[in-house]
Amino acid sequence: MTTLRPQPIPTPEESALPPLPHVDPITQLPILILYPHSRCNCRCLMCDIWRVKTRQEICAEEIARWLGEWRTMGVQRVVLSGGEALLHSHLWELCALLREADIGITLLSTGLLLRRDAASIVRYCDDVIVSLDGPEEIHDRIRNVPHAYRRLAEGVTAVREASADVCVSGRCTVQQANYHALRATVNAARALGLARISFLAADTHSEAFNRPGGWEPERAGQVALAPEALPRLEAELEALEREHADDFERGFIAESPAKLRRRLYQYYAAAVGQEPFPPNTCNAPWVSSVIEADGTVRPCFFQPPLGNIRVAGSLQAVLNAPQSLAFRQNLDTRTDPICQRCVCTLALRPTPTT
């Protein structure tokens, strides 16, 4: 099984290790993010993927063709993102190939289909991350799908009953509709039986999530926090730290209080010009890559495409093309405008040996 643990939580010893270096050309790629399916079964306020009308999929035959190269590149974990991967017509054939290659699988999911697919999920995936937007009323309103919370709860229960070995955790995108309910979201995560909960700000600036050209200011303003909301966010974070100290200590809340303040309060304050954006030490373009359902290859969720794996024939042909090498050589994540506004950074570190 993979040596790259699912959703690792840094310990003091691990966090002291420096991030993996920026190495070019890329020959080692621990993490690969795959969009198996192009569409989604939610209609979330902060995302436009559900507006996609065409159905595109990466098929198992393609995975079989690419898998030898991925093994040579040392891919340890594939993260199934998208779109909702569970809408894929033959997802488990694809996953079987990855598991046969000894690659760990993380499933990112809306949770709506977990109950239906629980047996297959625990057979092939060792890590499941579900979207949780808050307690039931808030979650259903943001997801814009009837009984979304109830279906999520039933799905999490089904997966946990199918196998206690699969880690099921939650991720909450904090935005205008739920920023005041962080404590209630932690309580909901515990009620659902999740292993932990993580928080991040909503991306309102990039072209990711089916937003060519980005959102107009009015649309972004429906999701991002206005200046007058910041004091209430700050008070909620302080109350969360005070009332859930044990959850921080045990790692049930994945981020530290200081990291949450940077990731949420400082981020939204910077978005309205009150503070600088938090520093970004991300190494995602050097240790991971994104392959979308149409074959588009990106260095991360938010940066522009580097090429297309179906056109180039292989992942290395895209990642190590002259334009890709030039992109990474000229990329400074501390000053790049897209990186500065990124809500989902990665600073992958070496796996400690025992």
Side-chain angles (χ1 to χ4, degrees):
M1 188 50 196
T2 175
T3 58
L4 184 65
R5 296 179 300 162
Q7 288 295 291
I9 301 175
T11 65
E13 292 77 17
E14 289 181 32
S15 61
L17 295 171
L20 290 173
H22 299 176
V23 178
D24 273 314
I26 290 177
T27 59
Q28 294 293 306
L29 199 77
I31 300 176
L32 186 58
I33 299 159
L34 194 65
Y35 293 10
H37 189 86
S38 60
R39 302 187 69 177
C40 189
N41 53 5
C42 278
R43 300 168 63 88
C44 299
L45 302 179
M46 63 287 190
C47 177
D48 283 345
I49 291 176
W50 59 271
R51 298 181 188 274
V52 172
K53 301 301 181 185
T54 58
R55 173 175 169 169
Q56 295 177 312
E57 292 186 342
I58 293 177
C59 66
E61 290 76 14
E62 290 176 307
I63 297 297
R65 189 163 65 248
W66 299 329
L67 198 51
E69 179 195 43
W70 295 359
R71 295 182 70 179
T72 300
M73 296 178 72
V75 173
Q76 298 179 46
R77 178 160 297 277
V78 166
V79 179
L80 302 178
S81 185
E84 171 56 65
L86 294 178
L87 291 174
H88 193 285
S89 57
H90 296 91
L91 180 66
W92 309 119
E93 294 177 16
L94 183 157
C95 289
L97 293 169
L98 295 173
R99 288 307 301 267
E100 288 169 7
D102 213 23
I103 294 174
I105 302 175
T106 293
L107 171 67
L108 306 186
S109 177
T110 64
L112 298 182
L113 298 176
L114 290 184
R115 181 180 179 183
R116 184 195 72 180
D117 292 334
S120 295
I121 289 170
V122 301
R123 180 178 180 183
Y124 295 107
C125 305
D126 58 336
D127 186 35
V128 178
I129 305 173
V130 297
S131 298
L132 175 63
D133 297 307
E136 185 167 6
E137 181 181 353
I138 292 176
H139 182 83
D140 287 356
R141 184 165 68 249
I142 291 175
R143 292 280 125 182
N144 203 18
V145 172
H147 310 300
Y149 185 92
R150 186 187 71 191
R151 294 166 67 182
L152 170 62
E154 293 171 349
V156 171
T157 297
V159 170
R160 294 178 69 239
E161 289 178 348
S163 174
D165 296 329
V166 176
C167 177
V168 185
S169 59
R171 178 177 295 165
C172 178
T173 301
V174 177
Q175 52 159 302
Q176 192 177 125
N178 65 4
Y179 76 96
H180 57 282
L182 304 184
R183 287 169 293 170
T185 302
V186 172
N187 292 335
R190 189 173 298 284
L192 288 169
L194 300 181
R196 61 182 169 268
I197 181 70
S198 176
F199 294 94
L200 73 163
D203 170 61
T204 60
H205 300 283
S206 79
E207 296 186 356
F209 314 119
N210 190 39
R211 297 181 303 214
W215 274 341
E216 295 295 329
E218 180 180 357
R219 179 68 181 88
Q222 296 172 359
V223 174
L225 298 192
E228 54 268 24
L230 294 176
R232 187 174 181 185
L233 172 62
E234 186 174 32
E236 181 68 13
L237 287 168
E238 291 173 354
L240 181 66
E241 182 176 358
R242 184 174 60 253
E243 298 175 19
H244 289 269
D246 288 346
D247 288 327
F248 281 110
E249 180 68 23
R250 292 195 296 263
F252 185 74
I253 300 175
E255 297 81 17
S256 67
K259 186 173 183 179
L260 271 191
R261 286 193 294 271
R262 291 194 305 271
R263 179 173 274 196
L264 299 178
Y265 181 83
Q266 187 178 349
Y267 182 88
Y268 278 122
V272 295
Q274 293 186 4
E275 291 195 22
F277 279 99
N280 191 340
T281 58
C282 181
N283 59 4
W286 291 269
V287 300
S288 67
S289 186
V290 176
I291 302 177
E292 298 180 356
D294 65 354
T296 295
V297 177
R298 295 179 184 267
C300 67
F301 287 106
F302 305 105
Q303 291 285 354
L306 298 173
N308 189 292
I309 189 172
R310 287 174 174 152
V311 174
S314 73
L315 184 57
Q316 281 195 323
V318 177
L319 294 181
N320 293 326
Q323 65 270 21
S324 301
L325 292 171
F327 164 78
R328 290 192 296 271
Q329 289 166 2
N330 293 314
L331 179 64
D332 185 341
T333 62
R334 298 166 299 179
T335 59
D336 180 81
I338 293 176
C339 293
Q340 284 185 321
R341 291 178 174 267
C342 183
V343 299
C344 187
T345 61
L346 173 70
L348 191 65
R349 292 173 166 82
T351 301
T353 57
T354 56

